[in-house]
């Protein structure tokens, strides 16, 4: 670890933590002002409010960390320029790109922290906060979600469900079993009700019909060798797949893809998690480009705020068109990072040409 790395990393970390504290404070204050009427109407105690915002704190930090990192990087570079430290480094044979590279390494470190914060503490914290909001603020019990007209494939089976509840039970099951060559049906099973169990589905009041012989067999309970996990259908149905941990989201994508479901939205969310963490390294290059253009701290911070707004707009736009299938998920998620990185490198190239 070089002296330059230690110096830049520590000074940058102090500025980042200070900026992060201010950003989190403003975020919490804004949300509290927006929700204070709801808390008062629900007669929510101070302890419940503290629980709610403490649970949301990791996801808030993960959400604003790229913007905070850019501001801290810009301020740190401007302070170095005003203290003539940049000139001293150049006189000692240290290129300005070396400082930018150290900031990229800082972005790698804080990007890993952002990903860990969002996937471990953030995911469980958001789930707890949602439950507190729903049950103690809105005074609503947890509602059972129900899907209708569900189709999926499971090896040699094609299955249709009229309804499917979140607990794995439902009604109106029709399962078609294909032959080994997949060219004909060898059995059709109808059931009034069913329950998805581990490794098999239990069908009640079932009738099994053979299309070849037209022979029907009725059974009060019939076990079908279906391995499909019913809970994965509710992953794609939920409003905020971004709140799922990365590994759970990836496993759900795999199972849904095997079942023949459309996974474009979930794939976009999966790639977006990684791209959002990687955006901190892009912010390091952007900070170097901004300060190389103007090292006035006020102008640089103002331009950084504009860049933050554009970054969030591009991220939301990319996720939206990716979830709708208008762009491949990997391009929709990583496109904003690639675009901003290209612009930042172009800015650094122009700055070098001027020098």
């Amino acid at each position: 670890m070089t002296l330059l790395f230690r110096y830049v990393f520590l000074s940058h970390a102090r500025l980042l933590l200070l900026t992060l504290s201010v950003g989190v404070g403003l975020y919490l204050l804004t949300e509290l002002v927006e929700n204070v009427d709801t808390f008062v109407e629900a007669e929510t105690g101070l302890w419940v409010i503290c629980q709610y915002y403490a649970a949301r704190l990791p996801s808030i930090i993960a959400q604003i960390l790229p913007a905070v990192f850019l501001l801290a990087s810009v301020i740190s570079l401007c302070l170095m320029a005003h203290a003539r430290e940049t000139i001293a480094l150049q006189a000692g044979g240290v290129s300005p790109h070396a400082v930018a590279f150290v900031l990229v390494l800082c972005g790698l470190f804080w990007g890993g922290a952002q990903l860990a914060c969002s996937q471990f503490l953030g995911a469980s914290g958001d789930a707890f906060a949602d439950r507190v909001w729903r049950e103690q603020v809105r005074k609503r019990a947890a509602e059972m979600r129900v899907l209708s007209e569900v189709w999926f494939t499971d090896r040699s089976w094609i299955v249709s469900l009229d309804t499917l509840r979140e607990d794995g039970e439902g009604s109106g099951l029709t399962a078609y079993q294909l032959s080994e060559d997949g060219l004909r049906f060898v059995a059709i099973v109808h059931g009034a009700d069913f329950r998805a169990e581990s490794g098999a589905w239990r069908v009640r009041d079932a009738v099994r019909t053979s299309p070849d012989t037209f022979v029907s067999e009725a059974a009060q309970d019939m076990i079908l060798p279906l391995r499909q996990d019913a809970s994965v259908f509710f992953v794609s149905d939920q409003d905020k797949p971004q709140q799922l941990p990365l590994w759970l989201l990836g496993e759900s994508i795999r199972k849904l893809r095997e079942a023949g479901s459309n996974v474009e939205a979930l794939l976009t969310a999966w790639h977006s998690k990684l791209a959002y963490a990687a955006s901190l390294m892009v912010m390091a290059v952007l900070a170097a480009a901004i300060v190389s253009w103007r090292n006035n701290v006020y102008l640089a911070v103002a331009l950084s705020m504009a860049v933050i707004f554009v970054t969030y707009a591009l991220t939301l736009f990319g996720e939206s068109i990716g979830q709708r299938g208008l762009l491949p998920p990997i391009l929709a998620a990583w496109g904003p990072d690639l675009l901003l990185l290209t612009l930042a490198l172009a800015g650094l190239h122009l700055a070098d040409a001027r020098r």
Side-chain angles (χ1 to χ4, degrees), residues 177-208:
Q177 185 179 14
L178 295 169
S179 60
E180 292 185 359
D181 56 13
L183 299 178
R184 60 189 180 87
F185 294 123
V186 297
I188 302 175
V189 177
H190 296 281
D193 302 293
F194 64 88
R195 178 175 181 79
E197 299 177 353
S198 178
W201 288 37
R202 183 181 300 275
V203 184
R204 293 183 286 271
D205 298 328
V207 177
R208 182 187 183 97

Side-chain angles (χ1 to χ4, degrees), residues 216-288:
S216 297
E217 173 192 355
Q220 185 175 0
D221 281 320
M222 185 178 293
I223 304 297
L224 297 183
L226 302 176
R227 297 181 299 182
Q228 179 65 47
D229 185 357
S231 64
V232 300
F233 294 106
F234 294 90
V235 174
S236 58
D237 181 64
Q238 72 169 12
D239 295 331
K240 298 179 180 179
Q242 295 85 352
Q243 290 184 356
L244 290 172
L246 195 65
W247 59 90
L248 178 58
L249 190 57
E251 180 67 15
S252 301
I253 290 170
R254 183 186 66 81
K255 291 181 178 179
L256 283 170
R257 181 180 281 156
E258 290 177 354
S261 298
N262 189 315
V263 295
E264 296 295 317
L266 297 181
L267 267 176
T268 303
W270 190 87
H271 282 290
S272 295
K273 289 175 178 289
L274 297 177
Y276 199 72
S279 68
L280 274 81
M281 290 182 285
V282 178
M283 293 299 174
V285 183
L286 277 169

Side-chain angles (χ1 to χ4, degrees), residues 23-234:
V24 170
L26 291 175
Y27 195 109
L28 291 176
L29 181 61
T30 303
E31 276 214 352
L32 185 60
V33 170
E34 291 178 354
N35 296 328
V36 65
D37 291 338
T38 304
F39 288 133
V40 172
E41 290 176 3
E43 298 181 355
T44 305
L46 181 60
W47 173 242
V48 174
I49 297 175
C50 292
Q51 280 184 306
Y52 175 75
Y53 285 112
R56 291 216 50 220
L57 190 59
S59 64
I60 292 173
I61 292 175
Q63 182 179 349
I64 68 173
L65 193 54
V68 168
F69 183 87
L70 177 60
L71 290 173
S73 300
V74 164
I75 296 172
S76 179
L77 290 174
C78 287
L79 292 178
M80 289 181 66
H82 290 173
R84 302 294 190 271
E85 293 175 346
T86 305
I87 296 176
L89 288 172
Q90 293 179 7
V94 179
S95 169
H97 296 308
V99 179
F101 180 71
V102 172
L103 284 179
V104 171
L105 294 180
C106 293
L108 179 62
F109 172 80
W110 290 108
Q114 189 275 343
L115 190 63
C117 188
S118 63
Q119 300 312 300
F120 290 94
L121 297 176
S124 57
D126 282 342
F128 179 79
D130 287 342
R131 188 165 63 251
V132 170
W133 181 266
R134 186 172 58 250
E135 297 177 4
Q136 300 192 46
V137 179
R138 291 299 188 183
K139 309 297 183 183
R140 290 204 307 262
E143 299 175 354
M144 183 80 69
R145 289 183 292 172
V146 180
L147 301 179
S148 59
E149 301 298 328
V150 177
W151 286 80
F152 67 90
T153 60
D154 190 328
R155 293 175 294 172
S156 62
W157 293 86
I158 301 175
V159 183
S160 168
L161 311 174
D162 288 347
T163 63
L164 174 64
R165 297 203 308 267
E166 201 169 3
D167 60 358
E169 295 192 2
S171 62
L173 179 144
T174 303
Y176 304 88
Q177 185 179 14
L178 295 169
S179 60
E180 292 185 359
D181 56 13
L183 299 178
R184 60 189 180 87
F185 294 123
V186 297
I188 302 175
V189 177
H190 296 281
D193 302 293
F194 64 88
R195 178 175 181 79
E197 299 177 353
S198 178
W201 288 37
R202 183 181 300 275
V203 184
R204 293 183 286 271
D205 298 328
V207 177
R208 182 187 183 97
T209 303
S210 174
D212 295 333
T213 61
F214 296 100
V215 174
S216 297
E217 173 192 355
Q220 185 175 0
D221 281 320
M222 185 178 293
I223 304 297
L224 297 183
L226 302 176
R227 297 181 299 182
Q228 179 65 47
D229 185 357
S231 64
V232 300
F233 294 106
F234 294 90

